Amino acid sequence: MAETHSRGLLSLNSGSQHLTTFVQIPDLNVIEILVRTALDSFILDCQHGMFSGSTIGPAIAAAAYSDKPALIRIPVGDFAFASRALDLGAAAIICPMINSAADARQLVTFVKYPPVGLRSWGPRRALPLSGLSGDLYLQRSNELTQCFVMIETAEALSNLDEILRVEGVDGVFVGPTDLSVSLTNGRSLAVTSDMVLTAVETVAASCRQHGKHAGIFALDAQQAVGHFQRGFNFVALAQDAMFMSQAADSGCARVRELSNGSVR
Ligand code: 3PY
Ligand code: MG
């Protein structure tokens, strides 16, 4: 069968300024709303969010049929979950707390087919979404689906070059909050401290050197712009619940402002 279409693929290059967000509420209504926004993709969060192995499948398909990629953040250390998410059509895997080249190599065995890894065959939803024949999907999915390792500890920073040299790692995704927790030994969540931003700049520079994608989380638009200026090509802006509560708060504040004090 010839290639017909490929739905929901993540398309990044070194000059991309890709804006994504974390989706933590596992409801298709949320995906339906977000696919119509300016966001380029979505990260369904199975680490800190409420998505699970049974709720990601329909959400991936809903995003993909709107031609927006769904990436999956897997739970810490659950590498088998990565294979399952790819089988359900995930465009990319984001794996938290990768601290060494050995961690990265183990992850890659689950996300790439031979000769790079040992992913087991069974792309139940991924195959129809890809529009490819089985053989073509087998041959092309290592390049069509991406593997991001989260750099979010002092240990990961010290092993960064070796991690970036692991074949099958397509890029990194920095978790600045956990990075701050680690660099301050559990004292601070200061994602914009000099210490964290210096580390973040080092990661962006190393990714450039190794020709790998560089992604990061940003709590707000100002942080996102700063990270793009530091050379990141992929920024996750906030998450679904934050967007909702910020919009509600700013709507209420605006009503009070426009009422000249008559609404309190
Ligand atoms: C972090 O900042 O630690 C993250 O994991 C962002 O999602
Ligand atoms: Mg984190």
Side-chain angles (χ1 to χ4, degrees):
M1 184 174 80
E3 182 172 348
T4 51
H5 59 266
S6 288
R7 292 193 183 276
L9 291 177
L10 182 63
S11 163
L12 293 177
N13 57 50
S14 55
S16 302
Q17 293 187 319
H18 185 99
L19 259 185
T20 186
T21 193
F22 280 98
V23 185
Q24 298 191 317
I25 302 168
D27 190 313
L28 290 183
N29 291 291
V30 175
I31 302 291
E32 207 171 56
I33 292 163
L34 291 178
V35 292
R36 298 203 304 271
T37 68
L39 288 160
D40 298 310
S41 68
F42 314 100
I43 306 169
L44 312 183
D45 193 357
C46 303
Q47 182 193 17
H48 298 302
M50 288 80 85
F51 270 101
S52 66
S54 56
T55 51
I56 56 172
I60 290 170
Y65 281 114
S66 303
D67 286 323
K68 297 227 169 161
L71 296 65
I72 304 295
R73 176 158 71 174
I74 65 173
V76 175
D78 192 351
F79 297 156
F81 195 101
S83 298
R84 181 161 174 69
L86 290 172
D87 286 348
L88 295 178
I93 297 300
I94 297 185
C95 183
M97 294 286 176
I98 292 293
N99 292 323
S100 65
D103 286 352
R105 272 193 294 274
Q106 211 195 340
L107 170 66
V108 166
T109 62
F110 287 85
V111 300
K112 301 289 182 183
Y113 288 117
V116 180
L118 290 171
R119 181 178 163 195
S120 164
W121 179 256
R124 173 71 185 79
R125 306 289 298 280
L127 195 57
L129 286 175
S130 76
L132 302 175
S133 67
D135 276 352
L136 264 185
Y137 180 82
L138 175 64
Q139 290 155 21
R140 296 196 53 205
S141 69
N142 283 359
E143 69 177 270
L144 294 179
T145 57
Q146 320 249 330
C147 175
F148 292 95
V149 297
M150 286 195 73
I151 300 297
E152 43 186 358
T153 64
E155 188 186 352
L157 283 179
S158 66
N159 292 324
L160 186 58
D161 277 322
E162 296 88 79
I163 292 172
L164 284 168
R165 272 197 281 270
V166 172
E167 186 184 7
V169 168
D170 299 297
V172 308
F173 188 88
V174 177
T177 322
D178 275 313
L179 198 51
S180 179
V181 170
S182 172
L183 293 177
T184 64
N185 201 20
R187 281 190 309 278
S188 169
L189 300 171
V191 294
T192 54
S193 69
D194 287 348
M195 186 165 54
V196 171
L197 290 182
T198 302
V200 158
E201 264 162 31
T202 307
V203 177
S206 300
C207 286
R208 259 195 311 281
Q209 261 170 22
H210 288 264
K212 304 262 168 144
H213 298 303
I216 189 166
F217 176 67
L219 278 168
D220 57 33
Q222 197 178 358
Q223 288 178 22
V225 170
H227 292 322
F228 280 131
Q229 287 168 347
R230 286 179 193 97
F232 286 85
N233 62 342
F234 169 44
V235 174
L237 175 65
Q239 30 104 329
D240 49 359
M242 276 185 203
F243 283 128
M244 226 187 294
S245 61
Q246 284 163 3
D249 277 343
S250 77
C252 291
R254 187 79 180 124
V255 168
R256 294 200 170 96
E257 186 188 323
L258 291 175
S259 77
N260 292 321
S262 66
V263 178
R264 285 172 221 281

